[in-house]
Amino acid sequence: MTEELVIPGRFNGPPHSGNGGYVSGALAALLPDPAGTPVEVTLRRPIPLDRPLQVRQEDEQYVAGDADGAVLEARLADEVVDPIEPVRHDEAVRAAVDFPGFDRHPFPTCFACGTEREDGLRIFPGPVPPTPDGPVRLAAPWTPDGSVAEELWPVTWAALDCIGGWAADLEDRYLLLGRMTGVVDTVPRVGEPHVVLGQALGSEGRKTRTAATLVDSDGRVVARALHTWIEISAETFARLGRP
């Protein structure tokens, strides 16, 4: 099995590489019967845009790469991906007012959470008032529009991506998505208001774990994810913003 994977320039995270969630979802879609099943995607290095990657199957793993080696890898996983307790849409709207990226955003042209992208998802998560003894959650409203109707599977993964970074304090730390395990139970419906939720799960050394959940207007779970973020140097992080 050999296929090509091309990430269009629209779906960037940093200015010159693919949004980690979108790219993960695009590769996950090539696995057999991925709907409703956890798929683990590991990102090895920044994902080139508008350039074909060769996808090959190695045992139970699908590997996308180029002449320099593997860029990302996907496999079916048996990890439990629990959903986050949802909030109402109006609560998510109020939370988004306090999105930290309005004041300081490392990648303002990111397809998923970029404040300078009118053609992006414009998912701007802010903190939700915590319940007694409950974890701190972030929430944002999101309504898929017609421009993503043909890309709903990878776009769902993109919607679940950046909120994890913000839950891990992206405004104050230099973080890259290293791994994402996603479960798409059903793709979201275009034109229907949804809520995206994020939550930090803990840190160990340079790694921080977070979770994300997407729910529809009735509070039903549409998709969910776990992330592993890797803390990197300021110099390496800054290079992501340059060609």
Side-chain angles (χ1 to χ4, degrees), residues 121-177:
L121 302 185
R122 297 183 66 80
I123 294 173
F124 303 146
V128 176
T131 57
D133 301 321
V136 175
R137 292 170 294 167
L138 302 184
W142 175 52
T143 300
D145 63 27
S147 73
V148 297
E150 302 301 318
E151 300 276 356
L152 280 175
W153 183 280
V155 164
T156 299
W157 282 66
L160 293 168
D161 173 13
C162 298
I163 193 168
W166 293 105
D169 297 325
L170 182 60
E171 70 271 26
D172 294 320
R173 303 169 64 200
Y174 303 110
L175 300 170
L176 283 182
L177 182 64

Side-chain angles (χ1 to χ4, degrees), residues 3-191:
E3 295 191 45
E4 280 191 350
L5 179 65
V6 179
I7 305 302
R10 178 189 182 192
F11 303 112
N12 69 288
H16 305 286
S17 64
N19 171 270
Y22 180 91
V23 173
S24 296
L27 183 59
L30 300 180
L31 274 66
D33 302 320
T37 302
V39 179
E40 178 190 277
V41 182
T42 301
L43 295 92
R44 298 297 181 188
R45 51 192 171 91
I47 301 97
L49 297 168
D50 297 315
R51 182 158 62 82
L53 298 174
Q54 300 301 312
V55 181
R56 65 187 186 279
Q57 186 175 358
E58 296 182 355
D59 298 324
E60 298 180 355
Q61 190 164 250
Y62 283 52
V63 180
D66 54 21
D68 295 323
V71 176
L72 67 161
E73 303 157 356
R75 65 178 184 88
L76 298 179
D78 56 8
E79 189 167 11
V80 175
V81 184
D82 293 321
I84 299 171
E85 183 70 24
V87 301
R88 298 190 312 271
H89 189 267
D90 62 316
E91 293 178 277
V93 171
R94 288 195 294 272
V97 173
D98 294 320
F99 174 48
F102 290 141
D103 297 322
R104 183 169 181 262
H105 200 308
F107 303 125
T109 61
C110 172
F111 169 71
C113 68
T115 52
E116 297 178 7
R117 287 293 297 274
E118 294 299 327
D119 66 335
L121 302 185
R122 297 183 66 80
I123 294 173
F124 303 146
V128 176
T131 57
D133 301 321
V136 175
R137 292 170 294 167
L138 302 184
W142 175 52
T143 300
D145 63 27
S147 73
V148 297
E150 302 301 318
E151 300 276 356
L152 280 175
W153 183 280
V155 164
T156 299
W157 282 66
L160 293 168
D161 173 13
C162 298
I163 193 168
W166 293 105
D169 297 325
L170 182 60
E171 70 271 26
D172 294 320
R173 303 169 64 200
Y174 303 110
L175 300 170
L176 283 182
L177 182 64
R179 177 170 290 161
M180 183 171 179
T181 301
V183 184
V184 178
D185 298 295
T186 181
V187 293
R189 291 189 289 270
V190 170

